[in-house]
Short mmCIF file of all heavy atoms in Angstrom, two decimals:
data_model
loop_
_atom_site.label_atom_id
_atom_site.label_comp_id
_atom_site.label_asym_id
_atom_site.label_seq_id
_atom_site.Cartn_x
_atom_site.Cartn_y
_atom_site.Cartn_z
N PHE A 37 11.98 -18.18 -1.45
CA PHE A 37 11.66 -18.43 -2.79
C PHE A 37 12.97 -18.97 -3.49
O PHE A 37 14.04 -18.91 -3.01
CB PHE A 37 11.25 -17.10 -3.50
CG PHE A 37 9.93 -16.60 -3.08
CD1 PHE A 37 9.81 -15.98 -1.87
CD2 PHE A 37 8.81 -16.78 -3.98
CE1 PHE A 37 8.51 -15.56 -1.49
CE2 PHE A 37 7.61 -16.29 -3.53
CZ PHE A 37 7.43 -15.71 -2.33
N ARG A 45 11.11 -17.13 -10.81
CA ARG A 45 11.26 -17.40 -9.30
C ARG A 45 9.95 -17.94 -8.74
O ARG A 45 8.83 -17.51 -9.09
CB ARG A 45 11.52 -16.06 -8.63
CG ARG A 45 12.04 -16.19 -7.26
CD ARG A 45 12.55 -14.79 -6.72
NE ARG A 45 13.66 -14.25 -7.52
CZ ARG A 45 14.37 -13.22 -7.11
NH1 ARG A 45 14.07 -12.57 -5.95
NH2 ARG A 45 15.35 -12.71 -7.88
N ARG A 99 8.03 -9.53 4.69
CA ARG A 99 6.91 -8.69 4.36
C ARG A 99 6.25 -8.21 5.66
O ARG A 99 6.18 -8.96 6.62
CB ARG A 99 5.84 -9.46 3.45
CG ARG A 99 5.36 -10.74 3.98
CD ARG A 99 4.44 -11.41 3.04
NE ARG A 99 3.07 -11.41 3.55
CZ ARG A 99 2.02 -11.86 2.93
NH1 ARG A 99 2.09 -12.16 1.66
NH2 ARG A 99 0.89 -11.90 3.58
N ARG A 101 3.10 -7.09 6.03
CA ARG A 101 1.61 -7.21 6.01
C ARG A 101 1.16 -7.93 7.28
O ARG A 101 1.79 -8.71 7.85
CB ARG A 101 1.13 -8.00 4.82
CG ARG A 101 1.42 -7.27 3.55
CD ARG A 101 0.83 -7.96 2.34
NE ARG A 101 0.93 -7.13 1.18
CZ ARG A 101 0.19 -7.17 0.11
NH1 ARG A 101 -0.86 -7.90 0.06
NH2 ARG A 101 0.54 -6.47 -0.94
N GLY A 106 -1.64 -14.50 0.64
CA GLY A 106 -0.79 -14.15 -0.41
C GLY A 106 0.66 -14.53 -0.08
O GLY A 106 1.61 -13.94 -0.68
N TYR A 107 0.88 -15.40 0.85
CA TYR A 107 2.28 -15.65 1.25
C TYR A 107 3.09 -16.27 0.13
O TYR A 107 4.36 -16.27 0.26
CB TYR A 107 2.19 -16.65 2.51
CG TYR A 107 1.52 -17.88 2.21
CD1 TYR A 107 2.19 -18.91 1.52
CD2 TYR A 107 0.29 -18.14 2.59
CE1 TYR A 107 1.62 -20.13 1.21
CE2 TYR A 107 -0.31 -19.30 2.27
CZ TYR A 107 0.31 -20.33 1.62
OH TYR A 107 -0.29 -21.47 1.36
N ASP A 108 2.47 -16.75 -0.87
CA ASP A 108 3.25 -17.36 -1.96
C ASP A 108 3.40 -16.43 -3.21
O ASP A 108 3.85 -16.92 -4.19
CB ASP A 108 2.56 -18.63 -2.39
CG ASP A 108 1.15 -18.45 -2.81
OD1 ASP A 108 0.59 -17.42 -2.52
OD2 ASP A 108 0.62 -19.44 -3.50
N VAL A 109 3.03 -15.15 -3.01
CA VAL A 109 3.14 -14.24 -4.13
C VAL A 109 4.33 -13.38 -3.88
O VAL A 109 4.35 -12.57 -2.86
CB VAL A 109 1.84 -13.48 -4.17
CG1 VAL A 109 1.95 -12.41 -5.29
CG2 VAL A 109 0.71 -14.44 -4.40
N MET A 110 5.26 -13.40 -4.86
CA MET A 110 6.46 -12.52 -4.69
C MET A 110 6.19 -11.05 -4.45
O MET A 110 6.79 -10.40 -3.70
CB MET A 110 7.29 -12.64 -6.06
CG MET A 110 8.11 -13.90 -6.20
SD MET A 110 8.89 -13.84 -7.77
CE MET A 110 9.64 -12.24 -7.79
N GLN A 111 5.23 -10.56 -5.11
CA GLN A 111 4.98 -9.07 -5.13
C GLN A 111 4.48 -8.61 -3.79
O GLN A 111 4.45 -7.29 -3.48
CB GLN A 111 3.89 -8.72 -6.18
CG GLN A 111 4.48 -8.75 -7.63
CD GLN A 111 4.53 -10.17 -8.17
OE1 GLN A 111 4.03 -11.20 -7.50
NE2 GLN A 111 5.12 -10.30 -9.29
N THR A 112 4.07 -9.52 -2.85
CA THR A 112 3.56 -9.10 -1.56
C THR A 112 4.75 -8.97 -0.56
O THR A 112 4.51 -8.59 0.57
CB THR A 112 2.55 -10.18 -0.92
OG1 THR A 112 3.20 -11.43 -0.65
CG2 THR A 112 1.44 -10.36 -1.88
N TYR A 113 5.99 -9.32 -1.01
CA TYR A 113 7.13 -9.10 -0.12
C TYR A 113 7.86 -7.79 -0.30
O TYR A 113 8.01 -7.39 -1.40
CB TYR A 113 8.10 -10.31 -0.26
CG TYR A 113 7.56 -11.57 0.30
CD1 TYR A 113 6.60 -12.34 -0.37
CD2 TYR A 113 7.92 -12.03 1.48
CE1 TYR A 113 6.02 -13.51 0.14
CE2 TYR A 113 7.44 -13.19 2.11
CZ TYR A 113 6.43 -13.89 1.38
OH TYR A 113 5.93 -15.02 1.96
N ASP A 114 8.30 -7.22 0.75
CA ASP A 114 8.95 -5.95 0.75
C ASP A 114 10.34 -5.88 0.62
O ASP A 114 10.96 -4.96 -0.01
CB ASP A 114 8.55 -5.12 2.06
CG ASP A 114 7.00 -5.08 2.24
OD1 ASP A 114 6.36 -4.53 1.37
OD2 ASP A 114 6.51 -5.60 3.34
N TYR A 115 11.07 -6.78 1.17
CA TYR A 115 12.52 -6.84 1.08
C TYR A 115 12.97 -8.26 0.72
O TYR A 115 12.33 -9.27 1.12
CB TYR A 115 13.09 -6.56 2.46
CG TYR A 115 12.64 -5.16 2.99
CD1 TYR A 115 11.61 -5.09 4.04
CD2 TYR A 115 13.23 -4.03 2.54
CE1 TYR A 115 11.19 -3.83 4.42
CE2 TYR A 115 12.81 -2.79 2.99
CZ TYR A 115 11.79 -2.69 3.92
OH TYR A 115 11.42 -1.43 4.37
N TRP A 116 14.13 -8.27 0.00
CA TRP A 116 14.75 -9.45 -0.50
C TRP A 116 16.18 -9.55 -0.23
O TRP A 116 16.89 -8.50 -0.26
CB TRP A 116 14.59 -9.58 -2.08
CG TRP A 116 13.11 -9.76 -2.44
CD1 TRP A 116 12.17 -8.76 -2.51
CD2 TRP A 116 12.40 -10.98 -2.68
NE1 TRP A 116 11.01 -9.33 -2.86
CE2 TRP A 116 11.08 -10.70 -3.03
CE3 TRP A 116 12.86 -12.29 -2.75
CZ2 TRP A 116 10.20 -11.72 -3.35
CZ3 TRP A 116 12.05 -13.34 -3.12
CH2 TRP A 116 10.71 -13.00 -3.40
#
Side-chain angles (χ1 to χ4, degrees):
F37 289 76
R45 194 171 299 189
R99 51 182 250 175
R101 294 189 179 203
Y107 59 80
D108 57 345
V109 179
M110 281 178 49
Q111 289 77 7
T112 67
Y113 286 81
D114 303 301
Y115 302 103
W116 292 83

